[in-house]
């Protein structure tokens, strides 16, 4: 039952992370990976994101969600990497990987960690676009996504 | 007590941390917000009572009625938008 959380400014290789994660898990029959990317849409084109964070609290909060997920879904391992600082469109922001004996727990584990992370991990996104910079507003749908786990 | 500000609250206040001696009547996080609004014009302008904010005491998310107790640090920030 291992939890590993890394908060870093550096870019990461999404595929290499998964390969490394699964390498030492002979019992795992299932691994899910969620990778969140910086996106730009035609309605609101952006060039980059700047993520501000609260370092000590972010580390503790994500470790807590990951540990909760391990216990709740009986996972073998969870690893989370979350970046801060400036990142360009198309670059990865966050990656959550969950390993379990069977698929459902791995799907649920990664989903659970992401749902909590969106609303309760101290990161704030600022978009950098042609018209300047703009703090991203929190979304109501992120709050309701989290609520399904409290039922 | 150390107060830390984040995101647009930090930007508009133009400060990220502040040290403050709390008067005895400030018991809860909500008392602290009242105290800041009464004693700090900038804070009152940037974070009026209707603002949706979230708060942490020593790295733990708390509610408005949470007692400050022996906490050394309070963080004041807008709703989080990570992931």
């Amino acid at each position: 039952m291992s939890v590993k959380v890394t908060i870093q400014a550096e870019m990461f290789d999404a595929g290499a992370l998964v390969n490394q994660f699964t390498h030492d898990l002979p019992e795992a029959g299932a691994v899910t990976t969620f990778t969140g990317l910086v996106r730009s849409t035609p309605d609101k084109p952006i060039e980059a994101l700047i993520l501000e964070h609260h370092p000590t609290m972010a580390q503790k909060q994500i470790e807590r969600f990951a540990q909760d997920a391990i216990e709740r879904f009986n996972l073998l391992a969870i690893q989370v990497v979350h970046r801060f600082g400036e990142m360009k469109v198309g670059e990865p922001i966050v990656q959550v990987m969950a390993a379990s004996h069977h698929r459902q727990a791995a799907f649920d584990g990664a989903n659970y960690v992401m749902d909590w992370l969106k609303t309760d991990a101290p990161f704030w996104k600022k978009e950098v676009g042609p018209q300047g910079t703009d703090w991203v507003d929190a979304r109501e749908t992120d709050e309701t996504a989290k609520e399904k786990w409290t039922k | 007590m150390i107060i830390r500000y984040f995101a647009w609250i930090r930007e508009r206040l133009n400060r990220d941390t502040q040290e403050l001696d709390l008067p005895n009547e400030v018991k809860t996080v909500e008392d602290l917000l009242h105290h800041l609004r009464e004693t700090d014009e900038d804070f009152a302008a940037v974070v009026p009572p209707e603002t949706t904010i979230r708060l942490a005491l020593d790295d733990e998310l708390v509610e408005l009625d949470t007692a400050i107790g022996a906490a050394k640090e309070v963080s004041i920030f807008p709703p989080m938008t990570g992931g």
Side-chain angles (χ1 to χ4, degrees):
Chain A
M1 316 308 132
S2 83
V3 166
K4 186 176 175 190
V5 174
T6 310
I7 295 171
Q8 63 183 44
E10 298 75 37
M11 173 79 168
F12 60 79
D13 178 331
L17 273 183
V18 186
N19 289 335
Q20 211 172 34
F21 177 68
T22 52
H23 190 69
D24 291 323
L25 293 168
E27 274 188 68
V31 170
T32 58
T33 302
F34 170 83
T35 311
L37 308 171
V38 181
R39 69 192 178 118
S40 179
T41 61
D43 311 343
K44 198 178 183 196
I46 67 158
E47 290 149 18
L49 271 186
I50 298 170
L51 263 93
E52 179 169 331
H53 75 312
H54 183 317
T56 50
M57 185 178 168
Q59 183 78 29
K60 284 184 200 167
Q61 286 287 88
I62 299 176
E63 281 173 1
R64 173 177 302 165
F65 310 141
Q67 194 57 49
D68 288 350
I70 292 253
E71 285 159 27
R72 182 169 178 143
F73 305 108
N74 195 23
L75 303 174
L76 294 165
I78 284 217
Q79 187 178 346
V80 181
V81 180
H82 202 305
R83 293 176 66 203
F84 63 89
E86 183 163 349
M87 45 206 98
K88 304 246 179 301
V89 171
E91 286 186 20
I93 306 167
V94 61
Q95 183 151 310
V96 175
M97 295 166 288
S100 57
H101 293 110
H102 302 289
R103 71 180 183 284
Q104 197 58 51
F107 277 124
D108 289 345
N111 201 14
Y112 177 93
V113 170
M114 274 311 299
D115 279 349
W116 280 98
L117 190 153
K118 290 295 279 188
T119 60
D120 285 39
F123 290 88
W124 299 273
K125 288 190 181 111
K126 189 192 220 181
E127 294 173 336
V128 182
Q131 265 82 51
T133 63
D134 204 5
W135 289 99
V136 173
D137 286 327
R139 297 167 64 200
E140 189 63 35
T141 51
D142 287 334
E143 278 296 328
T144 47
K146 169 180 86 175
E147 282 164 16
K148 68 174 170 283
W149 303 111
T150 57
K151 282 168 195 158
Chain B
M1 157 144 282
I2 294 168
I3 306 179
R4 301 180 70 184
Y5 302 100
F6 292 89
W8 60 260
I9 296 177
R10 170 186 59 75
E11 272 187 358
R12 288 180 207 167
L13 287 173
N14 201 24
R15 61 175 182 249
D16 51 14
T17 54
Q18 170 184 5
E19 228 175 317
L20 197 67
D21 289 324
L22 295 186
N24 286 336
E25 64 269 24
V26 173
K27 306 279 188 216
T28 67
V29 179
E30 190 166 30
D31 295 340
L32 172 65
L33 295 176
H34 285 308
H35 176 69
L36 286 170
R37 288 188 185 109
E38 276 170 17
T39 56
D40 183 337
E41 274 180 26
D42 291 339
F43 187 87
V46 171
V47 193
E50 64 273 18
T51 320
T52 304
I53 57 169
R54 299 198 68 187
L55 301 138
L57 283 176
D58 290 345
D59 295 346
E60 297 289 331
L61 281 172
V62 294
E63 302 297 327
L64 282 173
D65 59 1
T66 306
I68 292 171
K72 291 188 175 62
E73 195 176 283
V74 58
S75 297
I76 302 177
F77 45 81
M80 295 162 268
T81 55

